[in-house]
Coordinates of all heavy atoms in Angstrom, one line a residue:
Y1700 N -2.6 24.7 7.2 CA -4.0 24.8 7.2 C -4.5 26.3 7.3 O -5.5 26.6 6.6 CB -4.6 24.0 8.4 CG -4.6 22.5 8.2 CD1 -4.6 21.7 9.3 CD2 -4.5 21.9 7.0 CE1 -4.6 20.3 9.2 CE2 -4.5 20.6 6.8 CZ -4.5 19.8 7.9 OH -4.5 18.4 7.8
D1701 N -3.8 27.1 8.0 CA -4.2 28.5 8.0 C -4.0 29.2 6.6 O -4.8 30.0 6.2 CB -3.3 29.3 9.0 CG -3.7 29.0 10.5 OD1 -4.8 28.5 10.7 OD2 -2.9 29.3 11.4
E1702 N -3.0 28.7 5.9 CA -2.7 29.3 4.6 C -3.6 28.7 3.5 O -4.1 29.4 2.6 CB -1.2 29.0 4.2 CG -0.8 29.5 2.9 CD -0.5 31.0 2.9 OE1 -0.5 31.6 4.0 OE2 -0.3 31.5 1.8
Y1703 N -3.9 27.4 3.6 CA -4.6 26.8 2.4 C -6.0 26.2 2.8 O -6.6 25.7 1.9 CB -3.7 25.6 1.9 CG -2.4 26.1 1.4 CD1 -1.2 25.8 2.2 CD2 -2.2 26.9 0.3 CE1 0.0 26.2 1.8 CE2 -1.0 27.3 -0.1 CZ 0.2 27.0 0.6 OH 1.4 27.4 0.2
G1704 N -6.4 26.3 4.0 CA -7.7 25.8 4.4 C -7.6 24.7 5.4 O -6.7 23.8 5.3
F1705 N -8.5 24.7 6.3 CA -8.5 23.7 7.4 C -9.1 22.4 7.0 O -10.4 22.3 7.0 CB -9.1 24.3 8.6 CG -8.8 23.7 9.9 CD1 -7.6 23.9 10.5 CD2 -9.7 22.8 10.5 CE1 -7.2 23.3 11.8 CE2 -9.4 22.2 11.7 CZ -8.1 22.4 12.3
H1706 N -8.3 21.4 6.6 CA -8.9 20.2 6.1 C -9.0 19.2 7.2 O -8.0 18.7 7.8 CB -8.0 19.6 5.0 CG -8.0 20.4 3.7 ND1 -7.5 21.7 3.6 CD2 -8.4 20.1 2.5 CE1 -7.7 22.1 2.4 NE2 -8.2 21.2 1.7
I1707 N -10.2 18.8 7.6 CA -10.5 17.9 8.6 C -10.8 16.5 8.0 O -11.7 16.5 7.2 CB -11.6 18.3 9.6 CG1 -11.2 19.6 10.3 CG2 -12.0 17.2 10.6 CD1 -10.0 19.3 11.2
T1708 N -10.2 15.5 8.4 CA -10.4 14.1 7.8 C -10.6 13.1 9.0 O -10.1 13.3 10.0 CB -9.3 13.7 6.9 OG1 -8.1 13.6 7.7 CG2 -9.1 14.6 5.7
K1709 N -11.4 12.1 8.7 CA -11.6 11.0 9.6 C -11.7 9.8 8.8 O -12.5 9.7 7.8 CB -12.8 11.3 10.5 CG -12.9 10.3 11.7 CD -14.1 10.6 12.6 CE -14.3 9.7 13.7 NZ -13.1 9.8 14.7
A1710 N -11.0 8.7 9.2 CA -11.0 7.5 8.4 C -10.9 6.3 9.4 O -10.2 6.4 10.4 CB -9.9 7.5 7.4
S1711 N -11.5 5.2 9.0 CA -11.3 4.0 9.8 C -11.7 2.8 9.0 O -11.9 2.9 7.7 CB -12.1 4.0 11.1 OG -11.7 3.0 12.0
Y1712 N -12.0 1.7 9.6 CA -12.4 0.5 8.8 C -13.1 -0.5 9.7 O -13.1 -0.5 10.9 CB -11.1 -0.2 8.2 CG -10.1 -0.7 9.2 CD1 -10.3 -2.0 9.8 CD2 -9.0 0.1 9.6 CE1 -9.3 -2.4 10.8 CE2 -8.1 -0.4 10.6 CZ -8.3 -1.6 11.1 OH -7.4 -2.1 12.1
F1713 N -13.8 -1.5 9.0 CA -14.4 -2.6 9.7 C -13.6 -3.9 9.2 O -13.3 -3.9 8.0 CB -15.8 -2.8 9.4 CG -16.7 -1.6 9.4 CD1 -17.2 -1.1 8.2 CD2 -16.9 -0.9 10.6 CE1 -18.0 0.1 8.2 CE2 -17.6 0.3 10.6 CZ -18.2 0.8 9.4
I1714 N -13.4 -4.9 10.0 CA -12.9 -6.2 9.6 C -14.2 -7.0 9.2 O -15.1 -7.1 9.9 CB -12.2 -6.9 10.7 CG1 -10.9 -6.1 11.1 CG2 -11.8 -8.3 10.2 CD1 -9.8 -6.1 10.0
C1715 N -14.1 -7.6 8.0 CA -15.3 -8.4 7.5 C -14.7 -9.5 6.6 O -14.2 -9.2 5.5 CB -16.3 -7.6 6.8 SG -17.8 -8.5 6.4
H1716 N -14.9 -10.7 7.0 CA -14.5 -11.9 6.2 C -15.6 -12.5 5.3 O -15.4 -13.4 4.6 CB -13.9 -13.0 7.1 CG -12.7 -12.6 7.9 ND1 -11.4 -12.7 7.3 CD2 -12.5 -12.0 9.1 CE1 -10.5 -12.2 8.2 NE2 -11.2 -11.8 9.3
D1717 N -16.8 -12.0 5.5 CA -18.0 -12.5 4.8 C -18.4 -11.7 3.6 O -18.9 -10.6 3.7 CB -19.2 -12.6 5.8 CG -20.3 -13.4 5.2 OD1 -20.4 -13.6 4.0 OD2 -21.2 -13.8 6.0
P1718 N -18.1 -12.2 2.3 CA -18.4 -11.5 1.1 C -19.9 -11.1 1.0 O -20.3 -10.1 0.4 CB -18.0 -12.4 0.0 CG -17.0 -13.3 0.6 CD -17.4 -13.5 2.0
K1719 N -20.8 -12.0 1.6 CA -22.2 -11.7 1.5 C -22.6 -10.5 2.3 O -23.4 -9.7 1.9 CB -23.0 -12.9 2.0 CG -22.9 -14.1 1.1 CD -23.7 -15.3 1.7 CE -23.6 -16.5 0.8 NZ -24.4 -17.7 1.3
V1720 N -22.0 -10.3 3.5 CA -22.2 -9.1 4.3 C -21.8 -7.9 3.6 O -22.5 -6.8 3.6 CB -21.6 -9.3 5.7 CG1 -21.6 -7.9 6.5 CG2 -22.2 -10.4 6.5
I1721 N -20.6 -8.0 3.0 CA -20.0 -6.8 2.2 C -21.0 -6.4 1.1 O -21.3 -5.3 0.9 CB -18.6 -7.2 1.7 CG1 -17.7 -7.3 2.9 CG2 -18.1 -6.1 0.8 CD1 -16.3 -7.8 2.5
Q1722 N -21.4 -7.4 0.3 CA -22.3 -7.2 -0.8 C -23.6 -6.5 -0.4 O -24.1 -5.6 -1.0 CB -22.5 -8.5 -1.6 CG -23.3 -8.3 -2.9 CD -22.6 -7.4 -3.9 OE1 -21.4 -7.7 -4.2 NE2 -23.2 -6.4 -4.4
Q1723 N -24.2 -7.1 0.7 CA -25.4 -6.5 1.2 C -25.3 -5.1 1.6 O -26.2 -4.2 1.4 CB -26.0 -7.4 2.3 CG -27.5 -6.9 2.6 CD -28.1 -7.6 3.8 OE1 -27.6 -8.7 4.2 NE2 -29.1 -7.1 4.3
L1724 N -24.2 -4.8 2.3 CA -24.0 -3.4 2.8 C -24.0 -2.4 1.6 O -24.7 -1.4 1.7 CB -22.6 -3.3 3.5 CG -22.1 -1.9 3.9 CD1 -23.1 -1.2 4.8 CD2 -20.7 -2.0 4.5
F1725 N -23.3 -2.7 0.6 CA -23.3 -1.8 -0.6 C -24.5 -1.9 -1.4 O -25.0 -0.8 -1.9 CB -22.0 -2.1 -1.4 CG -20.7 -1.7 -0.8 CD1 -20.0 -2.5 0.0 CD2 -20.3 -0.4 -1.1 CE1 -18.8 -2.0 0.6 CE2 -19.1 0.1 -0.5 CZ -18.4 -0.7 0.3
D1726 N -25.2 -3.0 -1.5 CA -26.5 -3.1 -2.2 C -27.5 -2.3 -1.5 O -28.3 -1.6 -2.1 CB -27.0 -4.6 -2.2 CG -26.2 -5.4 -3.3 OD1 -25.5 -4.8 -4.1 OD2 -26.4 -6.6 -3.3
N1727 N -27.5 -2.3 -0.1 CA -28.5 -1.4 0.6 C -28.3 0.0 0.4 O -29.2 0.8 0.3 CB -28.3 -1.7 2.1 CG -29.0 -3.0 2.5 OD1 -29.5 -3.8 1.7 ND2 -29.0 -3.4 3.8
L1728 N -27.0 0.5 0.3 CA -26.7 1.9 0.0 C -27.2 2.2 -1.4 O -27.5 3.4 -1.7 CB -25.2 2.2 0.1 CG -24.7 2.1 1.6 CD1 -23.2 2.3 1.6 CD2 -25.3 3.2 2.4

Side-chain angles (χ1 to χ4, degrees):
Y1700 285 156
D1701 285 344
E1702 180 78 11
Y1703 302 108
F1705 198 77
H1706 290 67
I1707 294 298
T1708 62
K1709 189 176 181 67
S1711 192
Y1712 62 86
F1713 317 115
I1714 297 289
C1715 185
H1716 296 273
D1717 189 343
K1719 292 180 181 178
V1720 170
I1721 295 172
Q1722 186 64 52
Q1723 187 184 346
L1724 171 61
F1725 285 91
D1726 284 349
N1727 283 1
L1728 291 173

